[in-house]
Amino acid sequence: TYVLTDVWLSAWSNAGSGEDASGVAVFFGLGDIDSAADNRAYLYVYIGLFTANALFVVMRTFWFSYGGVRAAMNLFRAMLLATMRSPMSFFDVTPVGRVTNRLTYDTDILDIIFVQKSVQAVASVLWVASALIVLLFTVPVLIAAIAPLSVAYYVIHTAYVRSGVQLQRLHAQSQSPLVSHVEESVGGAVTIRAFGAVRRFSEAFATLNDTTIATFLAFVATGRWLAV
């Protein structure tokens, strides 16, 4: 409906300038604009297409938002129950920061980022598909250029996924020691100050923080590389 709105504006302009009515206008039973009633008919169709586009956007956003909330609730409930029912040996070998990271960062990704990226991905796919249909319908010779470009994009995207997934995994893993260090520092603040180890803990925090930022910047850089 987004592309069809632009197509209808083009048909409306052609009909108003005295050119032959386009196939879209004929499909809706309209022709050249000879009176104010014809102009209103084009306007009503445009309003209908615009309203349909807005409704589709609202429905798409609501569907992804509602699904993301339900998925986040189910994931958090399952992780919390699994954590509470784990034996003590699990906590002996698993850092507290890793458990906290899974119960906070992962659910935040599902609540916010995943929903946003999903909505954007669906919208982008529909826009690209609509644009390709319009281009191939008006200029069929473009298929000779689109085919090799699609192959090149697939190769580049495959190379990005191989590195991007690993960098994102490293970033997620680098956050666990940082969270553990912060929790241990806050919980043992009195002991740390009593033994004069504030500087040592501060330097350890700076090192872990630098590692986390470095992995995040590397992950973002791969995304910018793909965009370029």
Side-chain angles (χ1 to χ4, degrees):
T1 56
Y2 179 81
V3 177
L4 187 58
T5 303
D6 295 337
V7 173
W8 184 255
L9 285 177
S10 176
W12 192 357
S13 300
N14 293 336
S17 60
E19 300 181 8
D20 294 336
S22 63
V24 179
V26 174
F27 176 79
F28 284 94
L30 300 176
D32 296 336
I33 298 178
D34 299 325
S35 62
D38 295 336
N39 199 30
R40 285 195 299 270
Y42 276 89
L43 177 61
Y44 294 152
V45 174
Y46 177 76
I47 292 175
L49 293 175
F50 184 83
T51 304
N53 182 41
L55 289 177
F56 284 138
V57 171
V58 172
M59 292 172 58
R60 182 187 65 203
T61 305
F62 174 78
W63 183 62
F64 275 100
S65 300
Y66 180 76
V69 171
R70 291 292 302 274
M73 290 175 59
N74 294 333
L75 176 63
F76 184 81
R77 185 182 296 110
M79 289 193 301
L80 183 60
L81 290 177
T83 303
M84 298 299 293
R85 296 174 180 176
S86 299
M88 293 303 299
S89 58
F90 170 78
F91 297 97
D92 292 337
V93 298
T94 305
V96 178
R98 184 174 300 175
V99 177
T100 306
N101 192 31
R102 292 297 176 268
L103 293 174
T104 55
Y105 178 74
D106 289 350
T107 54
D108 179 69
I109 292 293
L110 192 58
D111 284 341
I112 302 176
I113 299 179
F114 179 76
V115 174
Q116 293 177 350
K117 298 300 182 181
S118 299
V119 173
Q120 295 174 3
V122 172
S124 299
V125 169
L126 294 178
W127 287 341
V128 170
S130 302
L132 289 178
I133 292 174
V134 173
L135 288 175
L136 295 178
F137 180 77
T138 55
V139 188
V141 72
L142 285 178
I143 193 173
I146 292 176
L149 288 176
S150 300
V151 175
Y153 179 79
Y154 175 78
V155 174
I156 295 174
H157 185 266
T158 302
Y160 161 76
V161 169
R162 293 176 180 175
S163 58
V165 171
Q166 297 301 323
L167 288 173
Q168 189 173 18
R169 181 182 61 83
L170 290 175
H171 173 59
Q173 290 183 349
S174 66
Q175 288 184 332
S176 298
L178 179 63
V179 175
S180 297
H181 181 77
V182 172
E183 291 181 349
E184 293 172 357
S185 300
V186 172
V190 177
T191 305
I192 294 173
R193 287 196 297 266
F195 285 90
V198 175
R199 182 176 180 180
R200 178 166 61 87
F201 273 76
S202 299
E203 292 176 353
F205 172 79
T207 302
L208 294 173
N209 191 43
D210 290 343
T211 302
T212 303
I213 293 176
T215 56
F216 177 73
L217 291 178
F219 173 68
V220 173
T222 56
R224 295 304 92 196
W225 172 83
L226 179 63
V228 172

